[in-house]
Amino acid sequence: MSIFFLHPIYLYGLLAAALPLLIHLLNRRRLKRIRFPAVRFVLLSQKRISRSYRLRHWLLLALRTAAVMLLALLLANPIFQIGSGLFAAGHQVALVVILDNSLSMTWSGDGSGFARAKQAARLLIDALGEGDRAAVVPTVFGANERFRLKDEKAVLMRDLNAIEISDGASNFAAALTAAYELLQQPAGQKEIRLITDMALTGWDQFSSGAVKSYDPSVPVRVIRVGRKQQPLNGTIKEVRLASPGVGVGLPVTLEAVVTNFSDREIKDLLLQLSIAGQARDQKLISVPPRSDVTVVFETTLTRAGSHQGQIRLKNDDLAGNQVVHFAVEAADSLKVLLIDGDPQTSLVQSETFFLSRALNPGGARESSLFLPTVSIADGLASVSLEPYQVLVLSNVAAIPEAFLPRLEHFLKQGGGLLIFAGDRLQAEPYNSKLLPASAQLREKRTTGEGRTEKIDKVDVSHPALKPLADPILLESVKSARVWGYYRMPAAGNSALITLGNGDPLLVEHRVGQGRVLVLATSADRDWTDLPLKTAYLPLVQSLASYLAGGKRGAFDSGISVGAPKTMPLPPTYVGKTIRVFKPNKQPIEAVAVSARNGVEAVFQDHDRAGIYRVALAPMPESELRAPLLYAVNAPFLESRLEEIGERELRAKLHPIPSEVVPVEALEKGGKRVDLSLPLLLVLIATLLMESWIAQRV
């Protein structure tokens, strides 16, 4: 039950009610009193009569004051409301219904929140009269979507029925801006009704300053769709890759973090991992109140390329997003060609023994991200580099002239070269044919195992050495002893590993798109004990991975609904339109442009959760930089059912006037009475009585 005014500006007219009193005070007669004893009894009689006249004067003043107040109230047009939902008759209504279609509405109102919200909107539309106009605006809508006021109920109902639950959070500022823009058109009565569950997540991001324009005479009436009791509330916070890479036939370890927003424990919660629609693993867990639990899954991928996956919660009583999508790009084994410059009859004594074991510790083709192939230096002139991503020269005396053009082409096309020194290596052929001044091999220095140098500096910020940032691995590298190496120039930033005496041990330079790393000591135990250290395996694998362009597979945990996606592309795609297909197969497009880090396309219209598929023309694998699949997920906090309080909501909306009513008040119906006619009759009666009393006085 409430009273509001259609034209509240006229309430300032109530200040005019003081005018009759001011006029009365200003017009009072100032009498000069002269006492005559002979008229004493006449004065006593007159005093008795004046009491009656004074009462009539006060009554006359009250009527005139009331008349002014009634006139101001009549102009303000008061409306008496019981309940909610109907509109005052006799005025053309312009109504904007803002419908909260964020994901949290799925679990509001004991699981029927969105249905109740739509029913409330139908009641508002049904209450419209002849000549009234309305529009339905969702809180999640596309940037290109436009709205207008309509006067046909059937059309409005179709617009309402077309609104679906989105996978994102509400943008209340955009919805209110659209509503006030629609209500700029003239109308006798303007209304904004916001139907929402008052979930905290959407309002956390809201600021009244983001509403571009508003009309203070049009308040926002919030219709709250609440719930009788708080259900179990939880979701998957994130999914992350726990294994070092994603390769064909390798174990892939995933970690899913499950969050419980409730004050009660979630028991017997089943989590299921699926890849390409096939169930791969499942776990049964319990999650304590207000806490997180990490669940570990393991699986393998049998083919290279893009794979879509999801982790799903299986609990019908759980309120919250129950599906998280992700995408993985499985790399085929990186093919590494090892050239042994000093082959031995004993495998353990060969130059490439430790290298091949570090790249493939299990020895099986399907057990590692790296597939090493060993060859001898004598066959280097005729070997083809086409199948390989990395070439390793281990203590190779010299590079054959016939092989040099193929090596240069291999490097310019993005291949990687790793050179290990040794007692057979001849510095001059390398320096004259391949190495720049910053990586020249100078004199050979061998001191014997009695006088050794230790590694002093390791640039763990470099991508090739990032795995060594682990304190244990870094200590392992620095504990290695070196008693034989080729001295190289102090190459500044190109020195990745430096000995204690300041000599560089590992340097880098580029040839075309390819990378060249020179390790100035041996790959075996001839000049160093590094192959015996714990860090040798991650060091060799990291160097090979870096030289191959870092291709060790990829894991995409997804972006949130509504967030942009930046996609790297080959240089040949500049100016081309790239198309991506949503989970519902609707396309979105973006133009590839030049950027600081190369060529990229930025996609914006991510309004659905799921797997998005990139449509790219066939291209060589070496040029393909964009993932063919990527994931989009509902915002994590949209699953949180915590609500904003009424006082806090009004503070958020300030200076926009607002009030909150429960949806039950709308469902029960209501009644509105225009008080203009009763006020007019009272005003006429007041004026007639004032005229009659004035004549008597």
Side-chain angles (χ1 to χ4, degrees), residues 203-370:
W203 292 108
D204 272 347
Q205 309 300 321
F206 174 79
S207 170
S208 60
V211 181
K212 295 180 180 179
S213 63
Y214 71 93
D215 185 349
S217 67
V218 183
V220 176
R221 291 186 169 83
V222 180
I223 300 174
R224 177 180 175 273
V225 181
R227 56 184 65 86
K228 295 179 181 179
Q229 59 182 5
Q230 191 73 11
L232 287 173
N233 181 205
T235 188
I236 301 174
K237 183 178 183 179
E238 63 175 328
V239 178
R240 56 190 180 227
L241 180 69
S243 51
V246 183
V248 175
L250 295 178
V252 178
T253 304
L254 301 175
E255 293 180 347
V257 181
V258 182
T259 296
N260 181 3
F261 294 112
S262 308
D263 294 323
R264 295 176 289 159
E265 182 182 17
I266 301 177
K267 298 180 180 180
D268 300 329
L269 179 61
L270 181 65
L271 278 76
Q272 187 177 75
L273 168 68
S274 299
I275 303 291
Q278 301 293 321
R280 294 295 187 90
D281 196 2
Q282 62 183 24
K283 298 291 175 64
L284 189 66
I285 64 168
S286 293
V287 188
R290 302 285 178 180
S291 61
D292 297 342
V293 169
T294 300
V295 184
V296 179
F297 294 97
E298 286 195 356
T299 187
T300 55
L301 302 174
T302 57
R303 65 171 180 83
S306 298
H307 301 261
Q308 64 178 9
Q310 66 174 220
I311 295 179
R312 181 181 294 273
L313 301 177
K314 297 279 192 175
N315 190 322
D316 295 335
D317 298 327
L318 187 67
N321 180 39
Q322 299 193 14
V323 180
V324 171
H325 303 272
F326 60 88
V328 289
E329 188 79 18
D332 206 347
S333 297
L334 294 178
K335 296 179 180 178
V336 182
L337 178 61
L338 305 177
I339 304 299
D340 193 329
D342 187 17
Q344 302 290 327
T345 55
S346 172
L347 183 63
V348 177
Q349 295 178 347
S350 68
E351 294 284 338
T352 57
F353 173 76
F354 291 100
L355 286 175
S356 60
R357 292 302 182 272
L359 291 171
N360 189 353
R365 295 177 63 89
E366 66 276 3
S367 64
S368 176
L369 280 172
F370 305 92

Side-chain angles (χ1 to χ4, degrees), residues 59-60 63-64 67 685-695:
L59 182 58
L60 186 62
L63 288 172
R64 289 172 178 172
T686 302
L687 292 175
L688 290 174
M689 185 174 294
E690 188 273 342
S691 177
W692 180 75
I693 294 176
Q695 291 178 1

Side-chain angles (χ1 to χ4, degrees), residues 461-479:
S461 64
H462 193 279
L465 301 176
K466 273 189 176 181
L468 301 183
D470 181 274
I472 296 177
L473 295 179
L474 184 61
E475 182 63 29
S476 174
V477 170
K478 290 187 175 182
S479 68

Side-chain angles (χ1 to χ4, degrees), residues 104-116 225-229 231 316 319 641:
S104 66
M105 291 291 289
T106 306
W107 312 291
S108 300
D110 299 330
S112 60
F114 193 57
R116 292 186 69 186
V225 181
R227 56 184 65 86
K228 295 179 181 179
Q229 59 182 5
D316 295 335
L641 296 187

Side-chain angles (χ1 to χ4, degrees), residues 589-610:
E589 296 179 344
V591 177
V593 296
S594 296
R596 178 181 299 179
N597 297 323
V599 177
E600 62 185 33
V602 181
F603 295 90
Q604 299 285 351
D605 192 16
H606 299 110
D607 59 348
R608 292 176 178 269

